[in-house]
């Protein structure tokens, strides 16, 4: 009985970890795409940011901050700090969207996905909660 229970728990743990990795990977890919677009001053990224009210000279530093936060989120040892910093970044995105009269749900859902990914891939966070 214990062996069956341990196997089921292990299978659930493996599935949860892979779910967390997949959700986190999707978030990371999008965040890297956004950060690199800002850093290399890709025209669509610059235009969108300027339309939201950002001065053009600040877009590249914002991309660098996003890149650093995302890199911290990638590595297991710093993922928790990265998630906190990304939450702050996405909170700022929500504030900008509200100020600009744009829908805010994308940044909100994205922030939730960052934490869901971390929750499933980090058993210590599960134990904490």
């Amino acid at each position: 009985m214990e062996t069956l229970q341990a196997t089921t728990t292990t299978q659930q743990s493996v599935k949860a970890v892979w779910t967390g990795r997949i959700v986190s990977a999707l978030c990371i890919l999008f965040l890297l795409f956004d950060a690199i677009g800002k850093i290399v001053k890709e025209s669509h990224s610059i235009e969108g940011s300027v339309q939201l009210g950002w001065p053009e000279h600040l877009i590249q530093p914002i991309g660098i901050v996003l890149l650093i936060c995302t890199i911290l989120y990638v590595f297991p040892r710093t993922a928790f700090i990265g998630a906190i910093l990304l939450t702050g970044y996405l909170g700022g995105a929500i504030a900008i969207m509200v100020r600009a009269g744009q829908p805010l749900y994308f940044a909100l859902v994205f922030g939730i996905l960052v934490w869901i990914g971390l929750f499933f891939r980090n058993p210590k966070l599960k134990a904490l909660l």
Side-chain angles (χ1 to χ4, degrees):
M1 183 71 173
E2 288 182 38
T3 306
L4 178 62
Q5 197 171 26
T7 303
T8 304
T9 304
T10 303
Q11 287 174 344
Q12 288 174 347
S13 296
V14 169
K15 287 180 183 179
V17 168
W18 274 104
T19 300
R21 287 177 180 168
I22 291 168
V23 171
S24 292
L26 292 173
C27 291
I28 290 164
L29 288 173
F30 176 80
L31 292 167
L32 287 174
F33 178 77
D34 189 29
I36 291 168
K38 287 175 174 30
I39 291 169
V40 300
K41 297 183 178 181
E42 194 274 327
S43 62
H44 294 96
S45 182
I46 299 296
E47 289 172 18
S49 297
V50 168
Q51 286 176 356
L52 289 172
W54 285 105
E56 192 171 334
H57 71 280
L58 292 179
I59 296 170
Q60 194 173 35
I62 290 169
I64 293 168
V65 168
L66 177 57
L67 181 63
I68 292 168
C69 295
T70 303
I71 290 170
L72 288 171
Y73 181 70
V74 168
F75 296 105
R77 284 185 160 226
T78 57
F80 188 72
I81 294 169
I84 291 170
L85 294 173
L86 287 171
T87 302
Y89 180 87
L90 293 167
I94 290 171
I96 292 295
M97 297 304 246
V98 168
R99 186 190 56 75
Q102 300 291 322
L104 59 94
Y105 57 85
F106 183 77
L108 179 64
V109 169
F110 211 77
I112 292 168
L113 287 174
V114 164
W115 281 100
I116 287 173
L118 184 60
F119 177 79
F120 282 121
R121 70 182 171 122
N122 187 336
K124 290 179 183 178
L125 184 58
K126 276 186 187 179
L128 181 65
L129 298 177

